[in-house]
Amino acid sequence: MRTSTRISAVAVAGALALTSLTACGGDSTSASGGKNDQVKIMVGGLDKVIYLPAMLTERLGYFKDEGVSVQLLTEPAGVQAETALVSGDVQGTVGFYDHTLDLQVKGKQVESVVQFSQAPGEVEIVSNQAADDLKSAKDFKGRKLGVTGLGSSTDFLTKYLAVSNGVETSEFTPVAVGAGQTFISALQQGSIQGGMTTDPTVATVLDKKLGKILIDMRTPEGSKQALGGLYPSSSLYMQTEWVDSHKETVQKLANAFVRTLKWMSTHSADEIAAKMPADYAQGGGKALYAEAIKSTLPMFTTDGVMPEDGPATVERVLKAFNPNLKNAKVDLAKTYTTEFVKKAG
């Protein structure tokens, strides 16, 4: 349902084969929502804290409890995860809600069925070398700024921060550097002067004293300050046609994810970190990983429900810089549903 960037069918197939992260095998899905429902979900970076509910739900056993077999797959950027959904290789994507609007104006209908968060969870980092001259988004002009991928939500947000501070999108260069070590290396080598990323990458950059925080959108307050309102981001979104024909299966997924969000709201960052794969700490160790989770926890909802004014904020942000959306009519009611999360639990 989204087509911001394209990767070949071979690349998608290869990604599915190489990055499959278990949760019970099988390729078919049952329209009736039978006991052994099987669903593939592509995540825009399974080890990113902003998408933590995906793997945490698996680790807590909640998919199994609902009788749904979920195969979690990973891509480094949300835009690539989107491509896998549009091409039909997966039934769901864990990525940013804003892509549902972008896709709608391109004739694709997808919707958020579980809204994980109410803030982007993103941080604009500036390298130590550039910190004296790059003090706000007003200084983006002439800079090379890292994003996870061109057409990704980090790309969207970087462009909004620029234009809302008087810098045209043509006056700076977005550079696709991914996240984790690739982002850190680009910052160290001077390939970028700053960039937008998430935890645990943020925690690692700060711990190694490689850069400083310029703009912090990990909390509802930070989202309001930078974007003028709550910005619903990480979510489970799916093609509307598939949702309508597999309602029992979607309800099981919603039940599992909402249960996870509630569990997260009653457990500490240390307890959450202990449930996650050890390598998700990206080499920073358990304590630093737990700190990264603690910094990002405020972004998450506790019930999976879309924030009331969130979609309007996202539309305003995207229309500020995206020519495809600027003069287009977006039906926000079709970009998300609360039908399943309100029945969950």
Side-chain angles (χ1 to χ4, degrees):
M1 299 248 119
R2 310 171 180 179
T3 316
S4 303
T5 13
R6 295 177 183 166
I7 50 179
S8 69
V10 173
V12 171
L16 294 178
L18 294 173
T19 63
S20 170
L21 283 169
T22 186
C24 305
D27 299 321
S28 61
T29 51
S30 166
S32 63
K35 185 176 180 180
N36 296 314
D37 304 87
Q38 296 173 337
V39 180
K40 289 180 181 178
I41 297 176
M42 185 66 82
V43 185
L46 262 170
D47 58 355
K48 295 177 184 177
V49 177
I50 58 171
Y51 299 141
L52 181 149
M55 180 54 74
L56 182 57
T57 302
E58 164 65 19
R59 303 282 281 197
L60 291 171
Y62 293 165
F63 291 135
K64 184 177 180 181
D65 288 350
E66 290 294 329
V68 59
S69 173
V70 174
Q71 187 177 15
L72 294 175
L73 306 162
T74 188
E75 281 283 9
V79 65
Q80 294 165 337
E82 165 201 298
T83 303
L85 179 70
V86 174
S87 62
D89 288 288
V90 297
Q91 291 75 49
T93 292
V94 170
F96 268 39
Y97 161 73
D98 53 21
H99 289 288
T100 67
L101 282 71
D102 186 50
L103 287 170
Q104 188 184 105
V105 300
K106 295 173 181 175
K108 308 291 185 180
Q109 190 59 55
V110 300
E111 59 189 14
S112 165
V113 295
V114 183
Q115 192 58 48
F116 296 164
S117 61
Q118 56 189 333
E122 302 283 353
V123 175
E124 185 70 24
I125 292 283
V126 59
S127 69
N128 289 333
Q129 297 90 327
D132 288 342
D133 300 317
L134 183 48
K135 296 182 177 179
S136 75
K138 294 178 182 179
D139 302 320
F140 281 1
K141 187 175 181 178
R143 306 292 181 173
K144 291 182 179 179
L145 302 174
V147 297
T148 52
L150 300 182
S152 67
S153 294
T154 52
D155 190 21
F156 290 166
L157 289 171
T158 301
K159 286 175 177 174
Y160 173 76
L161 291 173
V163 299
S164 63
N165 284 277
V167 180
E168 297 297 324
T169 58
S170 60
E171 293 181 313
F172 72 94
T173 304
V175 182
V177 294
Q181 190 54 51
T182 54
F183 180 96
I184 293 169
S185 295
L187 201 67
Q188 285 179 301
Q189 295 165 10
S191 303
I192 57 174
Q193 287 80 56
M196 191 170 292
T197 191
T198 61
D199 276 311
T201 307
V202 174
T204 302
V205 169
L206 297 179
D207 183 63
K208 293 185 175 181
K209 296 179 172 54
L210 301 175
K212 302 174 182 177
I213 291 177
L214 193 67
I215 300 167
D216 193 340
M217 298 179 286
R218 291 176 292 185
T219 66
E221 294 74 25
S223 178
K224 291 174 182 177
Q225 183 175 352
L227 306 173
L230 294 179
Y231 194 94
S233 57
S234 55
S235 64
L236 170 67
Y237 65 83
M238 314 177 90
Q239 296 197 41
T240 299
E241 183 179 4
W242 198 91
V243 171
D244 290 343
S245 60
H246 296 77
K247 288 198 170 188
E248 289 185 35
T249 301
V250 176
Q251 187 63 61
K252 292 177 182 180
L253 292 171
N255 292 347
F257 279 126
V258 170
R259 189 178 173 191
T260 295
L261 291 169
K262 289 180 178 178
W263 187 92
M264 289 169 60
S265 72
T266 58
H267 289 75
S268 69
D270 287 324
E271 290 171 319
I272 295 170
K275 292 289 184 181
M276 302 299 288
D279 61 345
Y280 280 21
Q282 295 182 1
K286 289 183 179 180
L288 189 61
Y289 182 54
E291 189 62 32
I293 291 174
K294 183 178 180 180
S295 297
T296 305
L297 272 178
M299 72 177 280
F300 293 106
T301 68
T302 60
D303 54 11
V305 176
M306 175 66 74
E308 186 175 349
D309 298 325
T313 300
V314 172
E315 181 181 26
R316 176 177 51 76
V317 166
L318 295 183
K319 285 192 172 185
F321 67 86
N322 190 325
N324 294 324
L325 278 141
K326 202 160 196 173
N327 299 310
K329 171 64 177 174
V330 179
D331 189 344
L332 293 177
K334 291 183 178 179
T335 61
Y336 70 97
T337 177
T338 59
E339 173 186 351
F340 303 97
V341 292
K342 287 191 173 180
K343 292 178 182 176

mmCIF file of all heavy atoms in Angstrom, residues 302-327:
data_model
loop_
_atom_site.group_PDB
_atom_site.id
_atom_site.type_symbol
_atom_site.label_atom_id
_atom_site.label_comp_id
_atom_site.label_asym_id
_atom_site.label_seq_id
_atom_site.Cartn_x
_atom_site.Cartn_y
_atom_site.Cartn_z
ATOM 1 N N THR A 302 -1.185 2.786 26.005
ATOM 2 C CA THR A 302 -1.429 1.638 26.884
ATOM 3 C C THR A 302 -2.570 0.766 26.377
ATOM 4 O O THR A 302 -2.808 -0.313 26.913
ATOM 5 C CB THR A 302 -1.786 2.110 28.306
ATOM 6 O OG1 THR A 302 -2.972 2.918 28.251
ATOM 7 C CG2 THR A 302 -0.654 2.920 28.905
ATOM 8 N N ASP A 303 -3.262 1.237 25.321
ATOM 9 C CA ASP A 303 -4.451 0.514 24.861
ATOM 10 C C ASP A 303 -4.526 0.316 23.341
ATOM 11 O O ASP A 303 -5.472 -0.289 22.840
ATOM 12 C CB ASP A 303 -5.723 1.246 25.321
ATOM 13 C CG ASP A 303 -5.746 2.712 24.897
ATOM 14 O OD1 ASP A 303 -4.889 3.129 24.079
ATOM 15 O OD2 ASP A 303 -6.622 3.449 25.401
ATOM 16 N N GLY A 304 -3.530 0.816 22.601
ATOM 17 C CA GLY A 304 -3.533 0.630 21.152
ATOM 18 C C GLY A 304 -4.485 1.535 20.395
ATOM 19 O O GLY A 304 -4.652 1.387 19.177
ATOM 20 N N VAL A 305 -5.116 2.480 21.101
ATOM 21 C CA VAL A 305 -6.105 3.363 20.471
ATOM 22 C C VAL A 305 -5.415 4.588 19.872
ATOM 23 O O VAL A 305 -4.501 5.156 20.478
ATOM 24 C CB VAL A 305 -7.182 3.803 21.492
ATOM 25 C CG1 VAL A 305 -8.148 4.809 20.867
ATOM 26 C CG2 VAL A 305 -7.943 2.585 22.005
ATOM 27 N N MET A 306 -5.863 4.984 18.691
ATOM 28 C CA MET A 306 -5.316 6.158 18.025
ATOM 29 C C MET A 306 -5.605 7.433 18.838
ATOM 30 O O MET A 306 -6.758 7.672 19.218
ATOM 31 C CB MET A 306 -5.962 6.293 16.640
ATOM 32 C CG MET A 306 -5.571 7.550 15.872
ATOM 33 S SD MET A 306 -3.826 7.598 15.403
ATOM 34 C CE MET A 306 -3.813 6.391 14.063
ATOM 35 N N PRO A 307 -4.601 8.258 19.119
ATOM 36 C CA PRO A 307 -4.840 9.533 19.805
ATOM 37 C C PRO A 307 -5.818 10.381 18.993
ATOM 38 O O PRO A 307 -5.709 10.462 17.770
ATOM 39 C CB PRO A 307 -3.450 10.179 19.839
ATOM 40 C CG PRO A 307 -2.492 9.047 19.716
ATOM 41 C CD PRO A 307 -3.174 8.033 18.851
ATOM 42 N N GLU A 308 -6.738 11.014 19.656
ATOM 43 C CA GLU A 308 -7.844 11.694 18.984
ATOM 44 C C GLU A 308 -7.405 12.696 17.922
ATOM 45 O O GLU A 308 -7.936 12.723 16.817
ATOM 46 C CB GLU A 308 -8.722 12.400 20.025
ATOM 47 C CG GLU A 308 -9.982 13.015 19.436
ATOM 48 C CD GLU A 308 -10.897 13.594 20.503
ATOM 49 O OE1 GLU A 308 -10.662 13.342 21.701
ATOM 50 O OE2 GLU A 308 -11.859 14.293 20.125
ATOM 51 N N ASP A 309 -6.448 13.539 18.250
ATOM 52 C CA ASP A 309 -6.022 14.576 17.303
ATOM 53 C C ASP A 309 -4.775 14.173 16.513
ATOM 54 O O ASP A 309 -4.259 14.968 15.723
ATOM 55 C CB ASP A 309 -5.748 15.886 18.051
ATOM 56 C CG ASP A 309 -7.008 16.415 18.730
ATOM 57 O OD1 ASP A 309 -8.101 16.237 18.163
ATOM 58 O OD2 ASP A 309 -6.886 16.998 19.834
ATOM 59 N N GLY A 310 -4.301 12.948 16.723
ATOM 60 C CA GLY A 310 -3.072 12.503 16.079
ATOM 61 C C GLY A 310 -3.092 12.509 14.559
ATOM 62 O O GLY A 310 -2.179 13.050 13.921
ATOM 63 N N PRO A 311 -4.116 11.915 13.933
ATOM 64 C CA PRO A 311 -4.143 11.883 12.470
ATOM 65 C C PRO A 311 -4.086 13.265 11.832
ATOM 66 O O PRO A 311 -3.415 13.461 10.804
ATOM 67 C CB PRO A 311 -5.474 11.183 12.172
ATOM 68 C CG PRO A 311 -5.684 10.284 13.345
ATOM 69 C CD PRO A 311 -5.198 11.091 14.516
ATOM 70 N N ALA A 312 -4.752 14.239 12.433
ATOM 71 C CA ALA A 312 -4.739 15.599 11.885
ATOM 72 C C ALA A 312 -3.336 16.210 11.961
ATOM 73 O O ALA A 312 -2.910 16.928 11.045
ATOM 74 C CB ALA A 312 -5.737 16.478 12.627
ATOM 75 N N THR A 313 -2.602 15.917 13.036
ATOM 76 C CA THR A 313 -1.227 16.406 13.155
ATOM 77 C C THR A 313 -0.354 15.803 12.071
ATOM 78 O O THR A 313 0.437 16.493 11.429
ATOM 79 C CB THR A 313 -0.637 16.066 14.535
ATOM 80 O OG1 THR A 313 -1.427 16.668 15.551
ATOM 81 C CG2 THR A 313 0.803 16.557 14.654
ATOM 82 N N VAL A 314 -0.503 14.506 11.852
ATOM 83 C CA VAL A 314 0.282 13.819 10.824
ATOM 84 C C VAL A 314 -0.018 14.406 9.446
ATOM 85 O O VAL A 314 0.892 14.667 8.654
ATOM 86 C CB VAL A 314 0.002 12.302 10.838
ATOM 87 C CG1 VAL A 314 0.671 11.618 9.648
ATOM 88 C CG2 VAL A 314 0.504 11.689 12.148
ATOM 89 N N GLU A 315 -1.294 14.644 9.168
ATOM 90 C CA GLU A 315 -1.669 15.225 7.871
ATOM 91 C C GLU A 315 -1.041 16.613 7.698
ATOM 92 O O GLU A 315 -0.504 16.934 6.626
ATOM 93 C CB GLU A 315 -3.184 15.318 7.751
ATOM 94 C CG GLU A 315 -3.642 15.887 6.413
ATOM 95 C CD GLU A 315 -5.150 16.011 6.308
ATOM 96 O OE1 GLU A 315 -5.824 16.145 7.352
ATOM 97 O OE2 GLU A 315 -5.665 15.989 5.168
ATOM 98 N N ARG A 316 -1.095 17.419 8.724
ATOM 99 C CA ARG A 316 -0.529 18.765 8.647
ATOM 100 C C ARG A 316 0.973 18.713 8.401
ATOM 101 O O ARG A 316 1.511 19.469 7.582
ATOM 102 C CB ARG A 316 -0.829 19.536 9.942
ATOM 103 C CG ARG A 316 -0.192 20.908 10.003
ATOM 104 C CD ARG A 316 -0.571 21.664 11.265
ATOM 105 N NE ARG A 316 -0.361 20.895 12.489
ATOM 106 C CZ ARG A 316 0.829 20.684 13.045
ATOM 107 N NH1 ARG A 316 1.922 21.168 12.472
ATOM 108 N NH2 ARG A 316 0.916 19.997 14.173
ATOM 109 N N VAL A 317 1.649 17.811 9.109
ATOM 110 C CA VAL A 317 3.101 17.668 8.951
ATOM 111 C C VAL A 317 3.449 17.248 7.531
ATOM 112 O O VAL A 317 4.320 17.839 6.881
ATOM 113 C CB VAL A 317 3.658 16.661 9.978
ATOM 114 C CG1 VAL A 317 5.081 16.246 9.611
ATOM 115 C CG2 VAL A 317 3.624 17.251 11.384
ATOM 116 N N LEU A 318 2.769 16.224 7.015
ATOM 117 C CA LEU A 318 3.088 15.721 5.676
ATOM 118 C C LEU A 318 2.781 16.742 4.587
ATOM 119 O O LEU A 318 3.536 16.881 3.619
ATOM 120 C CB LEU A 318 2.323 14.425 5.399
ATOM 121 C CG LEU A 318 2.687 13.214 6.271
ATOM 122 C CD1 LEU A 318 1.905 11.984 5.832
ATOM 123 C CD2 LEU A 318 4.180 12.923 6.218
ATOM 124 N N LYS A 319 1.702 17.467 4.745
ATOM 125 C CA LYS A 319 1.327 18.441 3.720
ATOM 126 C C LYS A 319 2.270 19.651 3.681
ATOM 127 O O LYS A 319 2.306 20.375 2.692
ATOM 128 C CB LYS A 319 -0.114 18.909 3.943
ATOM 129 C CG LYS A 319 -1.153 17.866 3.524
ATOM 130 C CD LYS A 319 -2.556 18.431 3.482
ATOM 131 C CE LYS A 319 -3.527 17.421 2.863
ATOM 132 N NZ LYS A 319 -4.879 17.973 2.690
ATOM 133 N N ALA A 320 3.046 19.833 4.729
ATOM 134 C CA ALA A 320 3.964 20.959 4.782
ATOM 135 C C ALA A 320 5.102 20.832 3.773
ATOM 136 O O ALA A 320 5.679 21.833 3.352
ATOM 137 C CB ALA A 320 4.539 21.105 6.186
ATOM 138 N N PHE A 321 5.435 19.598 3.373
ATOM 139 C CA PHE A 321 6.580 19.415 2.477
ATOM 140 C C PHE A 321 6.332 18.444 1.327
ATOM 141 O O PHE A 321 7.068 18.432 0.346
ATOM 142 C CB PHE A 321 7.798 18.908 3.270
ATOM 143 C CG PHE A 321 7.598 17.518 3.814
ATOM 144 C CD1 PHE A 321 7.892 16.404 3.044
ATOM 145 C CD2 PHE A 321 7.089 17.324 5.084
ATOM 146 C CE1 PHE A 321 7.697 15.121 3.540
ATOM 147 C CE2 PHE A 321 6.885 16.054 5.590
ATOM 148 C CZ PHE A 321 7.185 14.950 4.812
ATOM 149 N N ASN A 322 5.316 17.584 1.464
ATOM 150 C CA ASN A 322 5.092 16.520 0.475
ATOM 151 C C ASN A 322 4.190 17.012 -0.652
ATOM 152 O O ASN A 322 2.994 17.234 -0.441
ATOM 153 C CB ASN A 322 4.466 15.302 1.177
ATOM 154 C CG ASN A 322 4.422 14.074 0.281
ATOM 155 O OD1 ASN A 322 4.227 14.178 -0.926
ATOM 156 N ND2 ASN A 322 4.590 12.909 0.888
ATOM 157 N N PRO A 323 4.708 17.188 -1.866
ATOM 158 C CA PRO A 323 3.893 17.696 -2.978
ATOM 159 C C PRO A 323 2.749 16.779 -3.348
ATOM 160 O O PRO A 323 1.725 17.235 -3.863
ATOM 161 C CB PRO A 323 4.912 17.838 -4.117
ATOM 162 C CG PRO A 323 6.033 16.913 -3.757
ATOM 163 C CD PRO A 323 6.106 16.934 -2.274
ATOM 164 N N ASN A 324 2.902 15.483 -3.103
ATOM 165 C CA ASN A 324 1.825 14.531 -3.415
ATOM 166 C C ASN A 324 0.612 14.733 -2.516
ATOM 167 O O ASN A 324 -0.525 14.480 -2.917
ATOM 168 C CB ASN A 324 2.328 13.087 -3.270
ATOM 169 C CG ASN A 324 3.390 12.729 -4.280
ATOM 170 O OD1 ASN A 324 3.345 13.179 -5.420
ATOM 171 N ND2 ASN A 324 4.353 11.926 -3.867
ATOM 172 N N LEU A 325 0.878 15.193 -1.290
ATOM 173 C CA LEU A 325 -0.194 15.360 -0.310
ATOM 174 C C LEU A 325 -0.710 16.787 -0.200
ATOM 175 O O LEU A 325 -1.830 17.008 0.252
ATOM 176 C CB LEU A 325 0.294 14.901 1.067
ATOM 177 C CG LEU A 325 0.243 13.402 1.312
ATOM 178 C CD1 LEU A 325 1.433 12.926 2.092
ATOM 179 C CD2 LEU A 325 -1.037 13.044 2.038
ATOM 180 N N LYS A 326 0.113 17.743 -0.605
ATOM 181 C CA LYS A 326 -0.164 19.152 -0.356
ATOM 182 C C LYS A 326 -1.581 19.569 -0.739
ATOM 183 O O LYS A 326 -2.297 20.198 0.036
ATOM 184 C CB LYS A 326 0.854 20.022 -1.085
ATOM 185 C CG LYS A 326 0.984 21.409 -0.503
ATOM 186 C CD LYS A 326 2.306 22.037 -0.913
ATOM 187 C CE LYS A 326 2.604 23.232 -0.031
ATOM 188 N NZ LYS A 326 3.945 23.785 -0.269
ATOM 189 N N ASN A 327 -1.995 19.229 -1.938
ATOM 190 C CA ASN A 327 -3.319 19.638 -2.418
ATOM 191 C C ASN A 327 -4.289 18.464 -2.540
ATOM 192 O O ASN A 327 -5.343 18.590 -3.162
ATOM 193 C CB ASN A 327 -3.185 20.345 -3.770
ATOM 194 C CG ASN A 327 -2.332 21.595 -3.674
ATOM 195 O OD1 ASN A 327 -2.551 22.424 -2.803
ATOM 196 N ND2 ASN A 327 -1.343 21.716 -4.548
#
